[in-house]
Amino acid sequence: MMASLSASFNIAQSPSLATRIAAPQPERVTRRQLLAQRIQQITSVAMGDGIPRVQSPDDVVLIRQETQSHIKRIKSLEDAKELGGPRSLISCIDESLILARAHYITYFPRIFRINDLPPEIITNIFRLIVWPVPNPSTGILWRLRLTWTCRRWREIALGDCTLWNAIWFRDRPPFKRSWAFLERAGTSALDLRISSEDTTQISLAEMDGLLSRLLIYLSRIRILIYIGSSWEHVALLLDKLRTADAPVAMERLEIHRLGRIDYGTDGYIKPTALFSGKGTPRLNYLSLSGVHIDWNTPMLLNLSTIDIRKLPLELSPTIARFREILINCPALRKLCLDGAGPQIDLYDPPPFQIVMTNLKILCISDFSAQYARHVFSHFTAPNLADLTFINMTGEDYSPLYNILVNRFPEIKLLTMYAVDLPVRRNVMVQWFMSMPRLTYLRIANLPSAFLELFVLDPRSVLAPHDKHPSPKVVLAPHLAVIECHPSVFQSLPWFAAERQTLGVPLSKVYITQAKEHDMANQEFRTACAQLMRVTSLHFMLNGTRTPEEDKILSE
């Protein structure tokens, strides 16, 4: 896969980005523009007038010679880079590598005889291109481009139903493109996504017609995702699903109501029993945001993912029903409670703790300390690997961290967004000490003192009555990867240097959501340069996951 499609990239392998960080602004722009102009010239020369032609035997020989020449040059430049040298020399080699690879990319595909491959091989290649797309809009464009290339590609692409069964109703009504995709999907299972956002407004009448037509295919719908901000549209969808037959093929259902979460009239507050109160035999993934249902429905059974967001307590399941749901989902792998959770009685202790041995991912957001403590008292997950805390601010969360000590010893990935340090910092230190396998830390909007806990001697923070570690113990000794937002990036060079001094260096640092103004900031560029001296620095594309995270979640 080309570098432009990768989930992240190493700053040391991107001379244009390295230039932006290390050089003053005028030089940064000039060198970047010159490099872009050279690449554009290489592409223009290779493409000629852009009219497709059958290559003559002499043309094939010439292109093959050019390709072999570029391969040799790329190899020699890579060898030269391996030898090392001054930063200025390495920068020149990097730029030469970019130009050499640009030459190679424009020449090699012109003589690769892809159309000589059997149709089934080409079909598999197309699937490898289309299926792992970074986002739905890109998936639409890539599939269309396959049909625009040539007659043979169009025939092969249109003949494969699985290339078209992921359909995003994002085009304008009457959704001609989406219906064409559905027709091309043949009899395959359907993965549907409907957006009624500001960019693609759908009237209530258009929504009614769309849903009525789609529900004809209910027995083939495998995934149904709805995203919108209007209560009227959500209520219409819920009403359609209420009267629909049980979806025998549906595995995933998501309904997301965006924007300001209010609950309108009493008619919208009445809970809906989806699919006439019948069970959904294959449903394993349920995500509801700003939407409530009849929580006594039999569909809440044998789920692997439960994701509930933005729901007031009075519309949430009771704690007794919530416990039933957890017990009835023994294979539950992911539980997300974001500003939503069960109705609880803070003074009513649970009859027993539910042991969720298969739970790997847990996300808790917008909980008060007392409420979070009570929710955690109802279950435990001894094999939890990925824990997320978001928006835990405004009060002292020491009591929560106190009950979490030794609760999740297998955690490898910890996410902390907008979290205040507790008044009793020794409690948080004890909690970190009880997660010895912590490998990956994802942070944003945290006080600078948070990272200090990972470089201080734990004995200097713990109270006299706490259990003290033996000498020379470092918190999170296996911590190797940090993924951070630019808001906390300034503290990382110091942190990475300190961890290296302690003998537990970081192997990688990922920066997410970096914007152009961040790159133009002199302090940001200086921090990047300092960080590159002690670890490997990478920038991530939005909405992607790192290889290290994928590895943790696949274990």
Side-chain angles (χ1 to χ4, degrees):
M1 188 69 71
M2 293 172 58
S4 59
L5 302 181
S6 61
S8 65
F9 56 91
N10 189 326
I11 189 172
Q13 296 174 346
S14 176
S16 61
L17 187 55
T19 303
R20 282 194 281 174
I21 291 173
Q25 187 75 2
E27 183 183 355
R28 174 185 66 84
V29 174
T30 302
R31 293 184 66 180
R32 181 183 179 186
Q33 289 179 339
L34 287 174
L35 197 59
Q37 289 174 1
R38 292 285 304 279
I39 294 174
Q40 187 175 9
Q41 290 172 358
I42 292 169
T43 304
S44 298
V45 171
M47 294 298 294
D49 56 15
I51 300 175
R53 295 182 178 86
V54 177
Q55 302 289 346
S56 69
D58 291 340
D59 290 336
V60 171
V61 171
L62 179 61
I63 293 172
R64 183 173 289 112
Q65 290 175 347
E66 288 286 339
T67 302
Q68 292 172 345
S69 173
H70 295 315
I71 292 174
K72 291 180 180 179
R73 175 159 176 76
I74 291 171
K75 183 63 170 63
S76 65
L77 288 170
E78 289 174 342
D79 291 342
K81 185 177 178 179
E82 285 292 326
L83 295 175
R87 184 180 294 272
S88 58
L89 175 60
I90 298 299
S91 179
C92 290
I93 293 175
D94 278 332
E95 291 189 5
S96 298
L97 263 174
I98 289 176
L99 296 176
R101 288 167 179 161
H103 276 291
Y104 170 77
I105 289 172
T106 57
Y107 274 89
F108 170 72
R110 301 174 67 181
I111 58 171
F112 183 76
R113 299 179 298 165
I114 188 169
N115 281 338
D116 291 344
L117 296 174
E120 60 271 20
I121 301 298
I122 298 179
T123 296
N124 284 331
I125 292 173
F126 287 176
R127 291 174 179 176
L128 292 173
I129 293 171
V130 169
W131 285 352
V133 292
N135 54 70
S137 57
T138 302
I140 292 172
L141 181 59
W142 288 2
R143 283 180 286 178
L144 291 175
R145 284 177 172 171
L146 289 177
T147 66
W148 297 341
T149 304
C150 65
R151 184 179 293 107
R152 176 171 168 80
W153 283 26
R154 180 176 180 83
E155 291 174 352
I156 293 174
L158 295 182
D160 183 8
C161 297
T162 64
L163 292 181
W164 308 99
N165 63 343
I167 306 167
W168 188 5
F169 285 83
R170 201 187 185 202
D171 47 327
R172 298 289 181 182
F175 312 105
K176 292 183 179 180
R177 182 192 65 207
S178 297
W179 290 120
F181 279 27
L182 192 144
E183 182 179 352
R184 295 172 183 178
T187 59
S188 61
L190 300 175
D191 300 339
L192 306 179
R193 178 185 175 113
I194 305 171
S195 296
S196 180
E197 305 170 73
D198 293 338
T199 55
T200 313
Q201 293 184 354
I202 305 174
S203 70
L204 202 60
E206 292 166 339
M207 182 73 170
D208 191 1
L210 173 62
L211 293 176
S212 297
R213 188 174 173 184
L214 278 179
L215 290 179
I216 297 174
Y217 304 94
L218 183 60
S219 62
R220 290 171 45 204
I221 296 178
R222 178 173 55 193
I223 297 175
L224 178 59
I225 301 174
Y226 173 78
I227 302 174
S229 56
S230 164
W231 238 132
E232 288 78 7
H233 288 70
V234 171
L236 176 62
L237 173 62
L238 292 175
D239 188 60
K240 293 284 187 181
L241 296 180
R242 177 182 62 83
T243 58
D245 292 331
V248 294
M250 187 174 292
E251 299 177 8
R252 179 169 178 169
L253 176 63
E254 297 187 40
I255 305 176
H256 302 275
R257 187 161 63 91
L258 307 178
R260 184 172 177 266
I261 301 300
D262 60 71
Y263 281 82
T265 65
D266 292 340
Y268 298 146
I269 293 180
K270 184 179 179 180
T272 301
L274 302 183
F275 310 117
S276 303
K278 301 176 183 177
T280 48
R282 300 185 63 180
L283 186 70
N284 60 69
Y285 190 114
L286 179 66
S287 179
L288 301 173
S289 178
V291 177
H292 64 290
I293 61 173
D294 182 356
W295 299 108
N296 293 316
T297 176
M299 66 183 289
L300 302 178
L301 186 71
N302 294 324
L303 300 174
S304 64
T305 296
I306 298 177
D307 188 338
I308 305 174
R309 304 168 185 257
K310 302 178 183 178
L311 199 62
L313 283 177
E314 60 269 21
L315 300 178
S316 302
T318 63
I319 186 59
R321 177 56 182 152
F322 181 73
R323 288 175 59 87
E324 287 179 0
I325 294 172
L326 296 185
I327 293 172
N328 292 332
C329 299
L332 190 67
R333 187 174 188 273
K334 178 180 179 180
L335 176 62
C336 180
L337 302 174
D338 181 358
Q343 301 178 34
I344 61 174
D345 183 348
L346 296 176
Y347 303 100
D348 184 17
F352 61 89
Q353 271 197 343
I354 302 169
V355 180
M356 305 170 65
T357 56
N358 291 307
L359 190 66
K360 298 292 185 181
I361 305 171
L362 177 62
C363 176
I364 300 294
S365 176
D366 282 317
F367 277 19
S368 69
Q370 189 178 24
Y371 182 80
R373 181 184 172 94
H374 193 84
V375 169
F376 274 111
S377 70
H378 285 269
F379 69 89
T380 184
N383 299 314
L384 191 72
D386 181 350
L387 176 63
T388 296
F389 281 162
I390 302 176
N391 291 336
M392 312 285 261
T393 61
E395 59 178 306
D396 181 19
Y397 282 81
S398 297
L400 171 62
Y401 296 122
N402 189 45
I403 70 166
L404 294 181
V405 174
N406 297 320
R407 179 70 69 89
F408 305 123
E410 299 298 317
I411 284 181
K412 293 184 177 181
L413 194 161
L414 178 64
T415 300
M416 305 283 276
Y417 287 169
V419 175
D420 286 346
L421 287 181
V423 173
R424 294 158 49 201
R425 297 189 182 184
N426 61 302
V427 175
M428 181 167 273
V429 169
Q430 286 183 309
W431 179 45
F432 289 150
M433 288 172 56
S434 71
M435 298 185 290
R437 303 187 66 185
L438 182 62
T439 305
Y440 194 121
L441 187 62
R442 184 188 289 123
I443 54 177
N445 298 325
L446 294 176
S448 58
F450 176 83
L451 289 176
E452 293 177 4
L453 297 177
F454 291 89
V455 297
L456 294 176
D457 186 338
R459 295 169 297 175
S460 66
V461 181
L462 296 178
H465 62 275
D466 291 329
K467 182 180 178 181
H468 284 59
S470 57
K472 296 183 180 180
V473 168
V474 180
L475 281 185
H478 300 293
L479 180 62
V481 180
I482 287 189
E483 178 186 325
C484 73
H485 186 273
S487 61
V488 295
F489 181 67
Q490 299 298 332
S491 303
L492 281 183
W494 165 84
F495 177 73
E498 290 294 318
R499 293 286 292 189
Q500 187 178 52
T501 302
L502 292 172
V504 284
L506 300 175
S507 62
K508 284 185 182 179
V509 170
Y510 291 99
I511 303 179
T512 63
Q513 303 180 32
K515 302 294 191 299
E516 189 68 27
H517 64 81
D518 293 317
M519 302 299 184
N521 183 281
Q522 182 60 45
E523 291 184 359
F524 184 85
R525 297 203 304 272
T526 301
C528 286
Q530 293 173 346
L531 197 57
M532 289 168 58
R533 298 190 185 105
V534 292
T535 190
S536 178
L537 179 59
H538 300 251
F539 285 77
M540 291 179 59
L541 301 176
N542 290 338
T544 58
R545 294 199 317 202
T546 66
E548 292 81 8
E549 180 180 1
D550 285 334
K551 182 179 179 181
I552 290 173
L553 298 182
S554 66
E555 294 176 350

